[in-house]
Structures are given as structure tokens and as C-alpha cells.
Amino acid sequence: MKATGDESEARTRWFADVMAGRGTGERRDAAMAVGDHTQALLVELETVFGAGAWVATAILAVAVIEAHLREQAIVAGRVIDPYLNAGTLFAEAGLDERFDVLRRARNRALHVSDPPTLTVDMHWFEAERLEAEARFAIRLVAAALYGGALPEEPEEEE
């Protein structure tokens, strides 16, 4: 689904507000350094979210968090195996279970299964659920990068 200019602009403003912590409580560490790789992925994340690419948003959200954790380890002088999977990386970083929920959603989107967990029809008939999951993912990224309150899980479709 292609976003109109107004929809895209509204999403971009919402994204910026979430990253800045507006409306979500104070950030615990407003001065948190975000590395170049993470910043580059954030630009991509903002772009796909603004376009309404909900599945791509969830996929990239995990990549942003993973990149940030790896960059923070490098800054701290820790060595992390470059092949360490995201689940283990998230657990070792002490991230809340909600981050693993996001990681598992990313895996379901990327890995083929029988029955399929991702279909073309989902873009039309489950768009609201996919958008809610994408917004949840954006809020988790903000919490991982800048601190602040963790979002609740997205509501299940009825």
C-alpha cells in the first residue's frame, strides 16, 4: 500500500516524536550516543515506516537494535562474536521479553513456514494489525536507543 504525502508526513512526524521522547515520558539517557551504522539504519527505518511498509519496519527495527547493541559493545571495548544471533545478543544485553517478541516477529516475516506466516492478503486484510506492530517496533527501538518507558505489546486483532 502506497502512502499519500499527508500520511507519510504524519508518520514521519510521529516517528520523530517517538525518537525524541515526546508523549512517552522522559528519556533516561538523552545523551546516549548512537553510532553511524545505527543512524544509517534509523534513516531506512524512518523511510519504510513513513511509506507504510509495516513488515519492513518490524524487520529493520530488529536490525537497528542489534546494530546499536554491537556498536555500544565496541565503544565499551567488549568483544562480541559477529555471528552471535540477535536472540542471544538481546538476552545478554538484559533486554525485556518484549524485544524478543519483536525478534520472533521479524523471524516469522523472514523465514518461510508451512502454513505461511506472511501472505499478500495480510497487507490488505490485516493492515491495522501490521501497522500496530510496526508502531510497537518503533517504540521499542526508541526505548533501546534512548531509554524511557517500554511500550505495552500491540493489541491482538479481534
Side-chain angles (χ1 to χ4, degrees):
M1 292 184 203
K2 190 172 181 174
T4 66
D6 290 342
E7 290 170 336
S8 181
E9 288 175 23
R11 289 182 193 130
T12 299
R13 278 191 306 277
W14 181 87
F15 184 96
D17 286 346
V18 169
M19 290 302 143
R22 292 187 285 273
T24 60
E26 288 185 39
R27 295 278 185 241
R28 288 191 297 262
D29 190 356
M32 174 60 76
V34 176
D36 289 340
H37 194 98
T38 301
Q39 287 179 13
L41 288 174
L42 273 172
V43 170
E44 289 297 310
L45 182 62
E46 181 179 10
T47 301
V48 298
F49 179 76
W54 310 132
V55 175
T57 296
I59 291 168
L60 272 172
V62 174
V64 169
I65 295 166
E66 185 176 357
H68 180 66
L69 293 174
R70 291 180 188 282
E71 285 179 327
Q72 292 302 305
I74 290 168
V75 168
R78 294 190 318 271
V79 177
I80 292 184
D81 178 355
Y83 299 105
L84 184 66
N85 75 33
T88 304
L89 183 64
F90 286 14
E92 288 181 0
L95 295 182
D96 185 90
E97 171 66 22
R98 287 169 272 201
F99 290 95
D100 203 53
V101 168
L102 176 61
R103 183 191 62 80
R104 289 191 312 265
R106 185 267 325 249
N107 286 350
R108 284 190 302 277
L110 288 176
H111 303 295
V112 176
S113 64
D114 187 21
T117 57
L118 183 63
T119 66
V120 173
D121 287 347
M122 290 175 149
H123 293 286
W124 299 105
F125 300 111
E126 297 180 41
E128 288 180 10
R129 178 185 62 81
L130 293 173
E131 181 177 358
E133 289 175 357
R135 288 179 183 274
F136 173 70
I138 299 299
R139 288 184 184 107
L140 283 174
V141 167
L145 271 56
Y146 306 113
L150 288 173
E152 295 300 318
E153 293 187 34
E155 294 181 16
E156 292 294 322
E157 185 180 46
E158 295 182 10

